[in-house]
Amino acid sequence: MSPESPYAPLLASIPLTVSEVSVLGSRTRYWVYSPADAERTVVIVHGYRGEHHGIEPIIANLPGVRFVSPDLPGFGESTPLTETDHSVAGYSAWLVAFVDALELEAAPIVLGHSFGSIVVSHAVAGGMRPLALILVNPIATSGLKGPRQWLTGLTVFYYGLAKKLPARWGRRLLGSWVIVQLMSSSMAKTKDRALRRWIHREHHTYFSRFASRDVVVEGFAASISADVSEFAAQITVPTLLVAARLDDITPVEAQYDLTEAIAGSTLVVLDDVGHLIHYEVPELAASAITDFLDTLPAS
């Protein structure tokens, strides 16, 4: 995490190891936050254009849980997939193979944030059997049906333009400081100026750590090609949804519909926050996760 992180002291107390494994042609780098007495293991799938740093504030507030947090192929420090494409199905196949490669003693809990919620739901619907599922800011309905349609349309145009431009110029557009700042400013809901500055720094530091223009464009196409509701009927493991009332990507009404569609699932809606639960109110997300973990059988 960056030096200004308000969660750095908590995170520093958790033992950390970094490893790497080859999965479907991707040299996947992953971080294990593992207290010696951890009874639960949670495998994380982060959101689109994010990487493992983004979920660290939640990890910092759950010191008794072992987290395995990889960078998605093509983002952060993980190389792109070569044996499949960067689609929802491709990332889902990667997730299944990645968890298998970990050779865990017991089935883990799987946490998906934003785009990651689509990937993990696809994997579970396809037969993956984690102990439980946690969806933070789940994409409960099509990303093209968000509450702010003008912003959605602008985003689609932006990625379409990046795809049409020569690769060099497309990459420069995708990494534009101005564009990243506009994105960060529109998504942050907190009125805390210091926290907003830190959120913007996080986005400027990590949002453009991608392997190529093509990986980003393929990933965006994947992010708007499906949503969790498509797989809801096939999700039969205990599931927690942590949603935000002010989410600009998924309207909160869709989260209630998704909860009804996933049998036996639990929904926690956080007020006064949008699509950045992991940055703005990680302690509230951690509290909801703790309550959920307490309802699960022992590993």
Side-chain angles (χ1 to χ4, degrees), residues 47-280:
Y48 173 65
R49 284 190 70 166
E51 40 115 278
H52 73 279
H53 286 96
I55 307 298
E56 283 188 334
I58 293 178
I59 293 172
N61 282 277
L62 288 166
V65 179
R66 177 184 298 106
F67 286 92
V68 180
S69 186
D71 283 347
L72 279 173
F75 296 91
E77 297 183 30
S78 294
T79 62
L81 297 163
T82 61
E83 298 175 19
T84 186
D85 55 11
H86 299 91
S87 62
V88 171
Y91 277 122
S92 174
W94 163 85
L95 173 61
V96 173
F98 174 73
V99 172
D100 287 345
L102 294 176
E103 297 183 341
L104 300 172
E105 294 182 359
I109 298 156
V110 177
L111 184 155
H113 172 248
S114 188
F115 174 61
S117 71
I118 304 175
V119 173
V120 302
S121 298
H122 184 285
V124 172
M128 184 182 186
R129 283 295 172 265
L131 178 64
L133 194 60
I134 300 171
L135 308 177
V136 179
N137 284 119
I139 307 301
T141 188
S142 170
L144 299 176
K145 298 179 181 179
R148 299 170 71 180
Q149 286 293 300
W150 67 271
L151 185 58
T152 301
L154 186 61
T155 302
V156 171
F157 173 78
Y158 165 65
Y159 283 101
L161 179 60
K163 181 179 180 179
K164 292 179 180 179
L165 290 171
R168 177 185 175 186
W169 290 102
R171 184 184 181 100
R172 291 187 65 176
L173 176 63
L174 291 169
S176 165
W177 188 96
V178 173
I179 297 296
V180 172
Q181 183 62 38
L182 287 173
M183 176 281 302
S184 188
S185 297
S186 68
M187 295 177 74
K189 305 303 181 185
T190 179
K191 301 297 191 294
D192 185 319
R193 292 185 178 181
L195 184 57
R196 287 184 71 92
R197 285 195 297 270
W198 175 71
I199 291 171
H200 297 334
R201 182 183 176 92
E202 289 289 286
H203 282 137
H204 284 297
T205 301
Y206 301 117
F207 199 66
S208 298
R209 296 184 69 197
F210 50 83
S212 69
R213 183 276 309 268
D214 291 343
V215 166
V216 175
V217 170
E218 288 176 20
F220 177 72
S223 73
I224 61 173
S225 70
D227 61 80
V228 178
S229 69
E230 297 177 31
F231 315 114
Q234 287 77 47
I235 298 175
T236 57
V237 299
T239 302
L240 169 68
L241 295 81
V242 184
R245 195 168 301 280
L246 304 181
D247 197 330
D248 291 325
I249 295 179
T250 297
V252 70
E253 294 80 10
Q255 305 291 5
Y256 289 101
D257 293 340
L258 180 61
T259 305
E260 292 185 3
I262 300 176
S265 61
T266 300
L267 172 65
V268 174
V269 177
L270 303 179
D271 295 321
D272 302 320
V273 65
H275 204 66
L276 302 181
I277 285 175
H278 57 306
Y279 281 149
E280 296 190 37

